[in-house]
């Protein structure tokens, strides 16, 4: 009986030890998941607001807060989205951004917006926002929109939108818009970051500084190297 009690006690300690270890790993996993969620978007405000101090020379992930006692209504205000952008350019579109650079009160709020104007047949060329999801509302005209899923499927998701329609572009995916109407078109975009960033694919690939080596792009796009040089010359 005494031996059986010793064995039972040893087994119980093993079970409890395994259970404790499992609990520790489970807790660790939950903490990691929580941290991943916490850092998945812009930093959350720890006070009522954190208006960006655009004169500060301190470099942080985001922008330094202006002293609260110095904050004014104009720090939360932007005027100009009623104005049409200049679409007289190679792509026939103009983007008027309202990010933390234009509206300091957006700092730490995790949101921004933009007005996009399109000439007839104008495009907002394929691009990506590395830090934001975008939701687009058509205010005037007909706009063809689309995005491409990641490798290896590279599936094109596309739809023609009319006035009042809304479409969302997932964070980081390459997307585009084209005015398919006969007149000018206007859209308003909201983005889930105070500073969503934008990488226009053609500009980044063919207009980098310095240039990406021609032989690399020729092999990547499976074209003659002179075609690459010709495209690079346009950027």
């Amino acid at each position: 009986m005494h031996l059986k009690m010793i064995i039972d006690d040893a087994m119980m300690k093993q079970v409890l030890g395994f259970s404790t270890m499992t609990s520790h790993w489970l807790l660790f996993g939950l903490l990691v998941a929580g941290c991943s969620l916490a850092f998945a978007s812009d930093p959350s405000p720890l006070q009522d607001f954190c208006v960006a101090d655009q004169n500060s020379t301190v470099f942080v992930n985001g922008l330094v807060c202006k002293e609260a006692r110095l904050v004014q209504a104009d720090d939360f205000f932007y005027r100009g989205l009623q104005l049409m952008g200049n679409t007289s350019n190679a792509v026939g579109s103009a983007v008027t951004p309202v990010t933390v650079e234009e509206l300091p009160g957006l700092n730490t709020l995790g949101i921004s917006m933009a007005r996009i104007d399109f000439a007839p047949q104008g495009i907002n060329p394929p691009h990506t926002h590395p830090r934001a999801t975008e939701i687009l509302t058509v205010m005037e005209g007909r706009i063809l929109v689309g995005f491409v899923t990641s490798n290896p499927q590279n599936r094109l998701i596309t739809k023609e939108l009319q006035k009042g329609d809304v479409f969302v572009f997932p964070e980081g995916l390459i997307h585009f818009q084209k005015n398919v109407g006969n007149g000018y078109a206007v859209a308003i975009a909201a983005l889930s970051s105070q500073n969503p960033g934008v990488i226009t694919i053609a500009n980044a690939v063919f207009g980098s500084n310095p240039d990406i080596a021609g032989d690399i792009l020729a092999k990547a796009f499976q074209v003659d190297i002179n075609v690459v040089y010709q495209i690079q010359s346009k950027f």
Side-chain angles (χ1 to χ4, degrees), residues 202 206-207 223 226-235:
F206 294 104
V223 297
N226 291 316
V227 174
V228 172
Y229 292 149
Q230 181 182 11
I231 298 175
Q232 285 180 325
S233 69
K234 296 181 182 297
F235 293 91

mmCIF file with all atom_site columns, all heavy atoms in Angstrom, residues 202 206-207 223 226-235:
data_model
loop_
_atom_site.group_PDB
_atom_site.id
_atom_site.type_symbol
_atom_site.label_atom_id
_atom_site.label_alt_id
_atom_site.label_comp_id
_atom_site.label_asym_id
_atom_site.label_entity_id
_atom_site.label_seq_id
_atom_site.pdbx_PDB_ins_code
_atom_site.Cartn_x
_atom_site.Cartn_y
_atom_site.Cartn_z
_atom_site.occupancy
_atom_site.B_iso_or_equiv
_atom_site.pdbx_formal_charge
_atom_site.auth_seq_id
_atom_site.auth_comp_id
_atom_site.auth_asym_id
_atom_site.auth_atom_id
_atom_site.pdbx_PDB_model_num
ATOM 1   N N   . ALA A 1 202 ? 4.921  50.862 -60.711 1.00 0.00 ? 202 ALA A N   1
ATOM 2   C CA  . ALA A 1 202 ? 5.763  51.244 -61.844 1.00 0.00 ? 202 ALA A CA  1
ATOM 3   C C   . ALA A 1 202 ? 6.883  52.190 -61.416 1.00 0.00 ? 202 ALA A C   1
ATOM 4   O O   . ALA A 1 202 ? 8.038  52.024 -61.813 1.00 0.00 ? 202 ALA A O   1
ATOM 5   C CB  . ALA A 1 202 ? 4.907  51.884 -62.936 1.00 0.00 ? 202 ALA A CB  1
ATOM 6   N N   . PHE A 1 206 ? 10.588 50.788 -61.861 1.00 0.00 ? 206 PHE A N   1
ATOM 7   C CA  . PHE A 1 206 ? 11.319 51.368 -62.990 1.00 0.00 ? 206 PHE A CA  1
ATOM 8   C C   . PHE A 1 206 ? 11.878 52.763 -62.706 1.00 0.00 ? 206 PHE A C   1
ATOM 9   O O   . PHE A 1 206 ? 12.644 53.291 -63.510 1.00 0.00 ? 206 PHE A O   1
ATOM 10  C CB  . PHE A 1 206 ? 10.414 51.427 -64.230 1.00 0.00 ? 206 PHE A CB  1
ATOM 11  C CG  . PHE A 1 206 ? 10.032 50.072 -64.741 1.00 0.00 ? 206 PHE A CG  1
ATOM 12  C CD1 . PHE A 1 206 ? 8.764  49.564 -64.509 1.00 0.00 ? 206 PHE A CD1 1
ATOM 13  C CD2 . PHE A 1 206 ? 10.946 49.297 -65.445 1.00 0.00 ? 206 PHE A CD2 1
ATOM 14  C CE1 . PHE A 1 206 ? 8.408  48.310 -64.982 1.00 0.00 ? 206 PHE A CE1 1
ATOM 15  C CE2 . PHE A 1 206 ? 10.604 48.039 -65.915 1.00 0.00 ? 206 PHE A CE2 1
ATOM 16  C CZ  . PHE A 1 206 ? 9.331  47.539 -65.682 1.00 0.00 ? 206 PHE A CZ  1
ATOM 17  N N   . GLY A 1 207 ? 11.514 53.340 -61.567 1.00 0.00 ? 207 GLY A N   1
ATOM 18  C CA  . GLY A 1 207 ? 11.995 54.685 -61.259 1.00 0.00 ? 207 GLY A CA  1
ATOM 19  C C   . GLY A 1 207 ? 12.761 54.775 -59.964 1.00 0.00 ? 207 GLY A C   1
ATOM 20  O O   . GLY A 1 207 ? 12.883 55.856 -59.379 1.00 0.00 ? 207 GLY A O   1
ATOM 21  N N   . VAL A 1 223 ? 11.539 40.130 -70.667 1.00 0.00 ? 223 VAL A N   1
ATOM 22  C CA  . VAL A 1 223 ? 11.580 40.983 -71.854 1.00 0.00 ? 223 VAL A CA  1
ATOM 23  C C   . VAL A 1 223 ? 13.026 41.288 -72.194 1.00 0.00 ? 223 VAL A C   1
ATOM 24  O O   . VAL A 1 223 ? 13.946 41.039 -71.397 1.00 0.00 ? 223 VAL A O   1
ATOM 25  C CB  . VAL A 1 223 ? 10.808 42.304 -71.634 1.00 0.00 ? 223 VAL A CB  1
ATOM 26  C CG1 . VAL A 1 223 ? 9.330  42.039 -71.379 1.00 0.00 ? 223 VAL A CG1 1
ATOM 27  C CG2 . VAL A 1 223 ? 11.412 43.106 -70.480 1.00 0.00 ? 223 VAL A CG2 1
ATOM 28  N N   . ASN A 1 226 ? 16.554 46.056 -73.575 1.00 0.00 ? 226 ASN A N   1
ATOM 29  C CA  . ASN A 1 226 ? 16.314 47.383 -74.157 1.00 0.00 ? 226 ASN A CA  1
ATOM 30  C C   . ASN A 1 226 ? 14.903 47.880 -73.855 1.00 0.00 ? 226 ASN A C   1
ATOM 31  O O   . ASN A 1 226 ? 14.679 49.088 -73.765 1.00 0.00 ? 226 ASN A O   1
ATOM 32  C CB  . ASN A 1 226 ? 16.558 47.344 -75.671 1.00 0.00 ? 226 ASN A CB  1
ATOM 33  C CG  . ASN A 1 226 ? 18.029 47.158 -75.996 1.00 0.00 ? 226 ASN A CG  1
ATOM 34  O OD1 . ASN A 1 226 ? 18.893 47.801 -75.397 1.00 0.00 ? 226 ASN A OD1 1
ATOM 35  N ND2 . ASN A 1 226 ? 18.328 46.272 -76.937 1.00 0.00 ? 226 ASN A ND2 1
ATOM 36  N N   . VAL A 1 227 ? 13.972 46.951 -73.703 1.00 0.00 ? 227 VAL A N   1
ATOM 37  C CA  . VAL A 1 227 ? 12.615 47.331 -73.305 1.00 0.00 ? 227 VAL A CA  1
ATOM 38  C C   . VAL A 1 227 ? 12.642 47.921 -71.890 1.00 0.00 ? 227 VAL A C   1
ATOM 39  O O   . VAL A 1 227 ? 11.981 48.923 -71.604 1.00 0.00 ? 227 VAL A O   1
ATOM 40  C CB  . VAL A 1 227 ? 11.671 46.111 -73.361 1.00 0.00 ? 227 VAL A CB  1
ATOM 41  C CG1 . VAL A 1 227 ? 10.293 46.475 -72.801 1.00 0.00 ? 227 VAL A CG1 1
ATOM 42  C CG2 . VAL A 1 227 ? 11.546 45.596 -74.784 1.00 0.00 ? 227 VAL A CG2 1
ATOM 43  N N   . VAL A 1 228 ? 13.435 47.300 -71.007 1.00 0.00 ? 228 VAL A N   1
ATOM 44  C CA  . VAL A 1 228 ? 13.581 47.812 -69.644 1.00 0.00 ? 228 VAL A CA  1
ATOM 45  C C   . VAL A 1 228 ? 14.158 49.219 -69.659 1.00 0.00 ? 228 VAL A C   1
ATOM 46  O O   . VAL A 1 228 ? 13.649 50.121 -68.982 1.00 0.00 ? 228 VAL A O   1
ATOM 47  C CB  . VAL A 1 228 ? 14.480 46.875 -68.809 1.00 0.00 ? 228 VAL A CB  1
ATOM 48  C CG1 . VAL A 1 228 ? 14.804 47.508 -67.457 1.00 0.00 ? 228 VAL A CG1 1
ATOM 49  C CG2 . VAL A 1 228 ? 13.812 45.528 -68.613 1.00 0.00 ? 228 VAL A CG2 1
ATOM 50  N N   . TYR A 1 229 ? 15.222 49.415 -70.441 1.00 0.00 ? 229 TYR A N   1
ATOM 51  C CA  . TYR A 1 229 ? 15.853 50.744 -70.503 1.00 0.00 ? 229 TYR A CA  1
ATOM 52  C C   . TYR A 1 229 ? 14.859 51.783 -71.030 1.00 0.00 ? 229 TYR A C   1
ATOM 53  O O   . TYR A 1 229 ? 14.840 52.930 -70.556 1.00 0.00 ? 229 TYR A O   1
ATOM 54  C CB  . TYR A 1 229 ? 17.079 50.704 -71.401 1.00 0.00 ? 229 TYR A CB  1
ATOM 55  C CG  . TYR A 1 229 ? 18.224 49.878 -70.834 1.00 0.00 ? 229 TYR A CG  1
ATOM 56  C CD1 . TYR A 1 229 ? 19.109 49.206 -71.681 1.00 0.00 ? 229 TYR A CD1 1
ATOM 57  C CD2 . TYR A 1 229 ? 18.423 49.774 -69.459 1.00 0.00 ? 229 TYR A CD2 1
ATOM 58  C CE1 . TYR A 1 229 ? 20.162 48.457 -71.170 1.00 0.00 ? 229 TYR A CE1 1
ATOM 59  C CE2 . TYR A 1 229 ? 19.468 49.024 -68.936 1.00 0.00 ? 229 TYR A CE2 1
ATOM 60  C CZ  . TYR A 1 229 ? 20.327 48.368 -69.799 1.00 0.00 ? 229 TYR A CZ  1
ATOM 61  O OH  . TYR A 1 229 ? 21.366 47.622 -69.287 1.00 0.00 ? 229 TYR A OH  1
ATOM 62  N N   . GLN A 1 230 ? 14.036 51.388 -71.994 1.00 0.00 ? 230 GLN A N   1
ATOM 63  C CA  . GLN A 1 230 ? 13.051 52.315 -72.548 1.00 0.00 ? 230 GLN A CA  1
ATOM 64  C C   . GLN A 1 230 ? 12.023 52.723 -71.484 1.00 0.00 ? 230 GLN A C   1
ATOM 65  O O   . GLN A 1 230 ? 11.685 53.899 -71.372 1.00 0.00 ? 230 GLN A O   1
ATOM 66  C CB  . GLN A 1 230 ? 12.352 51.667 -73.747 1.00 0.00 ? 230 GLN A CB  1
ATOM 67  C CG  . GLN A 1 230 ? 11.309 52.586 -74.397 1.00 0.00 ? 230 GLN A CG  1
ATOM 68  C CD  . GLN A 1 230 ? 10.581 51.913 -75.551 1.00 0.00 ? 230 GLN A CD  1
ATOM 69  O OE1 . GLN A 1 230 ? 10.704 50.709 -75.756 1.00 0.00 ? 230 GLN A OE1 1
ATOM 70  N NE2 . GLN A 1 230 ? 9.810  52.674 -76.283 1.00 0.00 ? 230 GLN A NE2 1
ATOM 71  N N   . ILE A 1 231 ? 11.553 51.747 -70.722 1.00 0.00 ? 231 ILE A N   1
ATOM 72  C CA  . ILE A 1 231 ? 10.580 52.052 -69.661 1.00 0.00 ? 231 ILE A CA  1
ATOM 73  C C   . ILE A 1 231 ? 11.223 52.895 -68.576 1.00 0.00 ? 231 ILE A C   1
ATOM 74  O O   . ILE A 1 231 ? 10.633 53.878 -68.085 1.00 0.00 ? 231 ILE A O   1
ATOM 75  C CB  . ILE A 1 231 ? 9.986  50.756 -69.083 1.00 0.00 ? 231 ILE A CB  1
ATOM 76  C CG1 . ILE A 1 231 ? 9.234  49.987 -70.170 1.00 0.00 ? 231 ILE A CG1 1
ATOM 77  C CG2 . ILE A 1 231 ? 9.038  51.085 -67.923 1.00 0.00 ? 231 ILE A CG2 1
ATOM 78  C CD1 . ILE A 1 231 ? 8.725  48.637 -69.711 1.00 0.00 ? 231 ILE A CD1 1
ATOM 79  N N   . GLN A 1 232 ? 12.447 52.542 -68.170 1.00 0.00 ? 232 GLN A N   1
ATOM 80  C CA  . GLN A 1 232 ? 13.133 53.303 -67.125 1.00 0.00 ? 232 GLN A CA  1
ATOM 81  C C   . GLN A 1 232 ? 13.312 54.759 -67.524 1.00 0.00 ? 232 GLN A C   1
ATOM 82  O O   . GLN A 1 232 ? 13.272 55.647 -66.672 1.00 0.00 ? 232 GLN A O   1
ATOM 83  C CB  . GLN A 1 232 ? 14.481 52.664 -66.801 1.00 0.00 ? 232 GLN A CB  1
ATOM 84  C CG  . GLN A 1 232 ? 14.379 51.393 -65.973 1.00 0.00 ? 232 GLN A CG  1
ATOM 85  C CD  . GLN A 1 232 ? 15.743 50.781 -65.675 1.00 0.00 ? 232 GLN A CD  1
ATOM 86  O OE1 . GLN A 1 232 ? 16.655 50.839 -66.506 1.00 0.00 ? 232 GLN A OE1 1
ATOM 87  N NE2 . GLN A 1 232 ? 15.875 50.198 -64.495 1.00 0.00 ? 232 GLN A NE2 1
ATOM 88  N N   . SER A 1 233 ? 13.497 55.016 -68.809 1.00 0.00 ? 233 SER A N   1
ATOM 89  C CA  . SER A 1 233 ? 13.715 56.385 -69.261 1.00 0.00 ? 233 SER A CA  1
ATOM 90  C C   . SER A 1 233 ? 12.505 57.278 -69.050 1.00 0.00 ? 233 SER A C   1
ATOM 91  O O   . SER A 1 233 ? 12.592 58.505 -69.032 1.00 0.00 ? 233 SER A O   1
ATOM 92  C CB  . SER A 1 233 ? 14.097 56.392 -70.750 1.00 0.00 ? 233 SER A CB  1
ATOM 93  O OG  . SER A 1 233 ? 12.996 56.010 -71.557 1.00 0.00 ? 233 SER A OG  1
ATOM 94  N N   . LYS A 1 234 ? 11.322 56.664 -68.875 1.00 0.00 ? 234 LYS A N   1
ATOM 95  C CA  . LYS A 1 234 ? 10.092 57.435 -68.680 1.00 0.00 ? 234 LYS A CA  1
ATOM 96  C C   . LYS A 1 234 ? 9.892  57.828 -67.210 1.00 0.00 ? 234 LYS A C   1
ATOM 97  O O   . LYS A 1 234 ? 8.991  58.595 -66.890 1.00 0.00 ? 234 LYS A O   1
ATOM 98  C CB  . LYS A 1 234 ? 8.896  56.605 -69.161 1.00 0.00 ? 234 LYS A CB  1
ATOM 99  C CG  . LYS A 1 234 ? 8.917  56.299 -70.666 1.00 0.00 ? 234 LYS A CG  1
ATOM 100 C CD  . LYS A 1 234 ? 7.704  55.498 -71.070 1.00 0.00 ? 234 LYS A CD  1
ATOM 101 C CE  . LYS A 1 234 ? 7.745  55.150 -72.554 1.00 0.00 ? 234 LYS A CE  1
ATOM 102 N NZ  . LYS A 1 234 ? 7.701  56.366 -73.407 1.00 0.00 ? 234 LYS A NZ  1
ATOM 103 N N   . PHE A 1 235 ? 10.734 57.272 -66.339 1.00 0.00 ? 235 PHE A N   1
ATOM 104 C CA  . PHE A 1 235 ? 10.600 57.564 -64.917 1.00 0.00 ? 235 PHE A CA  1
ATOM 105 C C   . PHE A 1 235 ? 11.821 58.306 -64.380 1.00 0.00 ? 235 PHE A C   1
ATOM 106 O O   . PHE A 1 235 ? 11.936 58.549 -63.203 1.00 0.00 ? 235 PHE A O   1
ATOM 107 C CB  . PHE A 1 235 ? 10.366 56.267 -64.131 1.00 0.00 ? 235 PHE A CB  1
ATOM 108 C CG  . PHE A 1 235 ? 9.045  55.613 -64.438 1.00 0.00 ? 235 PHE A CG  1
ATOM 109 C CD1 . PHE A 1 235 ? 8.938  54.673 -65.440 1.00 0.00 ? 235 PHE A CD1 1
ATOM 110 C CD2 . PHE A 1 235 ? 7.902  55.964 -63.737 1.00 0.00 ? 235 PHE A CD2 1
ATOM 111 C CE1 . PHE A 1 235 ? 7.713  54.078 -65.734 1.00 0.00 ? 235 PHE A CE1 1
ATOM 112 C CE2 . PHE A 1 235 ? 6.674  55.378 -64.021 1.00 0.00 ? 235 PHE A CE2 1
ATOM 113 C CZ  . PHE A 1 235 ? 6.583  54.428 -65.026 1.00 0.00 ? 235 PHE A CZ  1
#
